[in-house]
Amino acid sequence: MQLTTDQRMHWMDILRGFAMILVLAWHAPAIPALVGAELPDWLLAANDALLPYRMPTLMFVSGLLLPAALRKPAGRYYWGKLQLVVWPYLVWSALHILQSDSGEPFFHWRSWVATGYLWFIFFIACYYLVAPLLARLPPWIVPAAALAAALVLPDGLAVRMTYFAFFFFVGAAVSRSPRLLGLIGSTWWVALPAGVVAVGFGVVSAFERHQFEAWTAPFSLCGIVAAIYCARRIEHRRWTRPLRFVGRNSLVFYVAHFPIVLGAWLLVRDPLSDSIAVASVLLFVIAIAACSALAVLQRYRPITWLFRAPDVPAMLRRIPPRRTSAAPARPAPERVPEGDLLP
């Protein structure tokens, strides 16, 4: 079972879209907490219950698309990642550094390493950078080595990077195993026990937080297996279109939601400071609406350049040559590729 465009636009987009909605639902109250708001205990418990599944799922789905990307010529592969991953990371990191007080100068290299909430994009860029060098290894060696490293490394950035590398390269390994992917997506007697385990560990995590701990990775995988099965069951339902839209435009929602929520909170903080629940719902709605608008408008320049590097060679090729006749040549209309900008 190869990962075709049609399949990606259905169950994979549903899975990614749902995980992205969970990210926005958590950041809607968490961002105000960064600037002094107090969160209720039940909200913290709900976040801790979802913590083992939210970002690992996004990493896993991104890894599913790696084998298809690696089939491109090396130059095209790296140029695509520079355009669609590195460029938006740099653009939105600059905005985040200016918007927040990280304690480091703007031009200090530490300010640009796993910057704030954009650490996910930074990790993805690093994984894409090394993936061609690891392509000849047996597919399960890389995630096994990443998990082993996460188990022994001291706490810090290296642990987080190897922990999430496990999910990214597990996704790539599963993508190379058509029978395994088919088994996960269509077999209830695999998905049901995995879902039970995931729910049970989610309940445990609600009372005892486990963040980026390598020994919890099997529980996260159980949640991913159950989520894939559910997404495959509903992939053709009309009511999933909003989730698919978010999934197809996951990069836009991810990079843009944080400054939008922070800016909106600064505007409504005074009247809603005593009702964080109402404020969170309002901020969530604002983030969804604003990010959806950006996702629709991203096909138009210069908004495109917030999420995709300008293709300067292509722009130069479209410049018409000088003509000696009186009638000027009519330039061809510009067209910006549509679709998900996070391959």
Side-chain angles (χ1 to χ4, degrees):
M1 186 175 85
Q2 298 296 324
L3 293 179
T4 66
T5 301
D6 180 68
Q7 289 169 328
R8 182 186 176 184
M9 290 179 62
H10 290 85
W11 67 270
M12 285 173 41
D13 282 342
I14 290 172
L15 201 59
R16 176 179 280 169
F18 184 70
M20 192 62 63
I21 291 295
L22 292 180
V23 171
L24 269 64
W26 165 238
H27 279 174
I31 292 173
L34 292 176
V35 290
E38 293 187 7
L39 300 184
D41 292 339
W42 68 266
L43 192 53
L44 293 172
N47 170 65
D48 290 345
L50 294 171
L51 195 59
Y53 310 111
R54 194 167 46 221
M55 301 309 294
T57 299
L58 287 174
M59 279 293 182
F60 178 88
V61 177
S62 296
L64 282 173
L65 298 171
L66 177 63
L70 288 175
R71 288 195 286 270
K72 300 175 183 178
R76 184 182 171 193
Y77 170 87
Y78 281 114
W79 173 241
K81 302 312 168 223
L82 181 64
Q83 274 191 304
L84 304 177
V85 182
V86 177
W87 172 270
Y89 174 77
L90 294 176
V91 169
W92 292 89
S93 290
L95 177 61
H96 183 70
I97 295 168
L98 293 173
Q99 191 180 35
S100 61
D101 183 12
S102 62
E104 297 287 353
F106 181 84
F107 291 105
H108 196 286
W109 66 269
R110 287 198 190 94
S111 297
W112 299 87
V113 175
T115 305
Y117 73 102
L118 294 161
W119 61 265
F120 173 79
I121 309 296
F122 179 85
F123 285 9
I124 288 285
C126 292
Y127 303 153
Y128 280 133
L129 176 65
V130 301
L133 306 177
L134 307 174
R136 294 185 179 274
L137 296 176
W140 293 99
I141 291 294
V142 179
L147 187 61
L151 284 168
V152 300
L153 287 172
D155 292 340
L157 182 64
V159 167
R160 291 176 61 190
M161 183 167 286
T162 52
Y163 170 80
F164 284 107
F166 168 76
F167 295 103
F168 181 85
F169 287 105
V170 163
V174 169
S175 181
R176 292 188 179 101
S177 305
R179 293 182 61 184
L180 178 59
L181 187 57
L183 184 69
I184 293 172
S186 61
T187 311
W188 69 267
W189 50 266
V190 172
L192 181 59
V196 171
V197 171
V199 170
F201 186 68
V203 172
V204 172
S205 299
F207 297 95
E208 184 178 352
R209 192 180 206 201
H210 299 288
Q211 185 175 19
F212 312 139
E213 298 180 22
W215 67 269
T216 66
F219 298 103
S220 298
L221 285 180
C222 286
I224 292 170
V225 167
I228 290 175
Y229 179 84
C230 293
R232 292 296 300 272
R233 303 280 72 72
I234 63 174
E235 62 180 331
H236 296 296
R237 304 291 178 88
R238 289 187 177 182
W239 57 266
T240 63
R241 287 179 179 175
L243 285 178
R244 283 183 266 159
F245 174 80
V246 175
R248 286 194 303 272
N249 298 282
S250 57
L251 178 67
V252 176
F253 279 81
Y254 191 88
V255 299
H257 80 276
F258 195 99
I260 289 171
V261 172
L262 180 56
W265 169 247
L266 296 178
L267 292 176
V268 304
R269 176 171 53 183
D270 291 339
L272 295 178
S273 59
D274 295 331
S275 181
I276 190 64
V278 175
S280 298
V281 174
L282 177 61
L283 294 174
F284 176 78
V285 172
I286 290 174
I288 291 291
C291 291
S292 297
L294 285 173
V296 172
L297 295 173
Q298 68 174 313
R299 68 188 67 180
Y300 303 109
R301 297 181 175 93
I303 295 178
T304 304
W305 298 331
L306 294 173
F307 311 104
R308 181 189 184 103
D311 192 347
V312 177
M315 294 169 67
L316 293 176
R317 286 195 298 269
R318 284 195 291 266
I319 298 177
R322 292 185 178 182
R323 298 172 61 90
T324 56
S325 61
R330 183 175 300 177
E334 294 184 86
R335 182 178 181 274
V336 177
E338 301 178 16
D340 190 4
L341 299 184
L342 187 59

